[in-house]
Amino acid sequence: MRRAIELAQETALVEQAGGPFGCVIVKDGEVVAEGANRVIADGDPTSHGEMNAIRSACQKLGTHDLTGCTLYTSGEPCPMCYAACCWAHIDGIYYASTCADASEYGQFDDSKIASSLKLPVADRALSAQELLRDEMLEIWKVFKQDGERAQY
């Protein structure tokens, strides 16, 4: 966790690359990846510490499945990063500060996203509409039957 906090300080206060968010991923007691928030430096709203650490860990381990890994992050994961941890099969998450802390001290407010996700699609803040579902279902049907497809 201390390394995650060091990364947060470095990326936000020294490099000014993004917010104070650092992350470390550990497997079998060894650090396999680190990441820091680089939203400003990369011009990429998905360049969060957790996302960068997950990408790095997957590349280093040669897999999209991070089962057996634990994630240490300087801030409670936002909805995007939490979802990425779930998709990656991270075993556990430890964080040093809360979403409420990020909102209070840095005006990072994830409440709109979290609240929106609880609503039906039609009622969410960012509108989304189904389009060409029948065409896409044909692909899904073939995918379902493909015995050699990649497994997630």
Side-chain angles (χ1 to χ4, degrees), residues 3-61:
R3 179 61 183 148
I5 293 170
E6 288 174 8
L7 289 166
Q9 181 178 19
E10 185 177 315
T11 198
L13 304 179
V14 177
E15 298 173 2
Q16 295 185 353
F21 302 102
C23 181
V24 174
I25 296 178
V26 175
K27 183 172 187 175
D28 299 326
E30 299 288 325
V31 173
V32 295
E34 297 181 345
N37 185 294
R38 297 191 47 81
V39 168
I40 302 301
D42 294 349
D44 178 355
T46 69
S47 191
H48 290 199
E50 297 92 338
M51 300 296 284
N52 292 331
I54 288 169
R55 288 181 186 121
S56 179
C58 289
Q59 288 175 351
K60 181 173 183 179
L61 298 174

Side-chain angles (χ1 to χ4, degrees), residues 12-137:
L13 304 179
V14 177
E15 298 173 2
Q16 295 185 353
F21 302 102
C23 181
V24 174
I25 296 178
V26 175
K27 183 172 187 175
D28 299 326
E30 299 288 325
V31 173
V32 295
E34 297 181 345
N37 185 294
R38 297 191 47 81
V39 168
I40 302 301
D42 294 349
D44 178 355
T46 69
S47 191
H48 290 199
E50 297 92 338
M51 300 296 284
N52 292 331
I54 288 169
R55 288 181 186 121
S56 179
C58 289
Q59 288 175 351
K60 181 173 183 179
L61 298 174
T63 180
H64 65 278
D65 186 344
L66 298 181
T67 298
C69 293
T70 302
L71 185 138
Y72 297 85
T73 180
S74 62
E76 182 180 359
C78 71
M80 174 184 67
C81 292
Y82 183 82
C85 289
C86 291
W87 281 115
H89 305 286
I90 296 283
D91 285 358
I93 300 169
Y94 293 91
Y95 56 90
S97 61
T98 66
C99 289
D101 296 330
S103 179
E104 178 179 348
Y105 296 104
Q107 291 78 47
F108 294 95
D109 187 4
D110 299 329
S111 63
K112 176 181 170 185
I113 300 167
S115 297
S116 238
L117 289 173
K118 295 177 187 177
L119 299 172
V121 173
D123 296 336
R124 293 181 183 169
L126 178 59
S127 67
Q129 292 182 301
E130 184 181 297
L131 184 63
L132 300 177
R133 181 171 183 252
D134 290 339
E135 289 182 31
M136 188 59 211
L137 285 180

Side-chain angles (χ1 to χ4, degrees), residues 131-146:
L131 184 63
L132 300 177
R133 181 171 183 252
D134 290 339
E135 289 182 31
M136 188 59 211
L137 285 180
E138 292 305 315
I139 295 169
W140 274 117
K141 290 173 186 174
V142 173
F143 182 81
K144 181 179 181 179
Q145 299 302 317
D146 184 357

